[in-house]
Amino acid sequence: MSQYTNQKTRPTFSVVVATIAVLSVAVPAAAEDIASITMEEVAAPASAACDGGKTYQIAYSHSVSEAAIVRQVRRFADERAAELGCVEVLHDNTQANNLESQLNAVNSWITLGVDAIVVTPIDPTALAPLQSQAQEAGIKWLTYLGEMDGSDGFVGFNHSQSGQLVANAAVAWVEENNVENPEALVTTLTGLPLLSPRWTEVERIFEENGITIVATQDSADEASGLQIAETVISQYPGLDIMIGLNDNSAVGMARAAKVGGLNEDELFIAGQDGDVGGLQAVNEGGAYRGSAAILINTLGANIVNQALNAINGNGPTSAYTPTVWASKDDQEQLDALISNYDE
């Protein structure tokens, strides 16, 4: 095991990890129950919400609205609202996890009397009084990517599914290429235990399939991914696999592999989230084999769908938006995922 195992860098939060960082929000207690909920079950009741002539205001606050992936999720929420025709989505300008900004936005929405608030809670304790105030006023309270006590639902995705997708793809690659004694580098973000299935599922599946993880280290951005991979490659020049906590970290590792002169035909690199940089790297071919990609178009639509379900008491209010394996093996799907970032 490398001396770098479990060392911690101070990661500069990438736009993708900022998107999924919900600092102290609990994992949904009924996660096992909601895993079987389909997107059709979520969308169908919402699609009928406008039939009675009622109009709705749904407010959405993310902790890092400046992030590219968040901008796209908000765009898809707006598109779903426009498609339905009776929904207006309100957005705040909270950036860089600024709690005061988020509190001010949520307070203004309560005063306005919106129908539902969907929030990525920067500090659940600080937001709890506003949650109570909103719900007492008849406003539905949903959280994004996690759950607060007494919330009316949550919009999110499954980190275990993400870790399983990248790990199983790596195992398949090892088997197809008859790689002997495969060695892997895996990046983590141990300060955010909510995300831990992204690497613990990789660790579990690799152990079950004889893949040795020679190093793990925290990395959430391209610069640290590059630095970590350069160091590990110097110690393990025969490294076979690099798995990123997210695509930003994986893109940095892919750069290190090129600089280090590793044979791309003999290397498997993968990321998670389906960030546009990772998807483009996959599309270029070579060592970057794929990404466990969140369907951000569906995720954005579900902000509206699940809020409407909560407002009308009809249909699922908590659900996992699917994550898919994006690779050159399914070019049509890969192209569609990349097009989600087209403005």
Side-chain angles (χ1 to χ4, degrees), residues 24-70:
S24 57
V25 182
V27 175
E32 316 84 31
D33 300 329
I34 66 169
S36 62
I37 294 174
T38 68
M39 296 302 94
E40 291 76 13
E41 290 173 319
V42 172
S47 296
C50 297
D51 293 350
K54 183 178 177 180
T55 59
Y56 306 86
Q57 283 187 321
I58 297 168
Y60 173 51
S61 172
H62 199 287
S63 58
V64 282
S65 64
E66 72 274 22
I69 194 169
V70 178

Side-chain angles (χ1 to χ4, degrees), residues 168-245:
N168 287 327
V171 169
W173 178 83
V174 166
E175 293 175 349
E176 290 167 6
N177 291 275
N178 298 312
V179 180
E180 297 182 359
N181 303 315
E183 296 178 333
L185 162 64
V186 178
T187 58
T188 62
L189 198 58
T190 51
L192 289 176
L194 174 67
L195 310 184
S196 63
R198 288 176 172 239
W199 62 87
T200 58
E201 284 298 286
V202 173
E203 291 170 343
R204 177 183 66 81
I205 292 171
F206 279 11
E207 182 178 5
E208 291 173 354
N209 288 274
I211 298 174
T212 300
I213 298 176
V214 298
T216 62
Q217 191 171 354
D218 283 359
S219 170
D221 60 273
E222 187 173 336
S224 63
L226 171 65
Q227 181 182 14
I228 291 164
E230 285 178 337
T231 302
V232 175
I233 288 169
S234 70
Q235 293 188 333
Y236 297 90
L239 194 67
D240 305 289
I241 300 166
M242 300 185 196
I243 302 294
L245 167 86

Side-chain angles (χ1 to χ4, degrees), residues 118-177:
V118 183
V119 58
T120 304
I122 296 169
D123 183 342
T125 301
L127 282 162
L130 291 178
Q131 175 187 353
S132 297
Q133 186 179 343
Q135 290 174 320
E136 288 170 3
I139 299 170
K140 297 300 180 180
W141 182 274
L142 296 87
T143 53
Y144 184 84
L145 309 178
E147 200 171 49
M148 289 174 63
D149 289 342
S151 65
D152 297 302
F154 85 98
V155 183
F157 43 89
N158 191 330
H159 298 299
S160 292
Q161 182 186 30
S162 183
Q164 291 161 11
L165 283 169
V166 290
N168 287 327
V171 169
W173 178 83
V174 166
E175 293 175 349
E176 290 167 6
N177 291 275

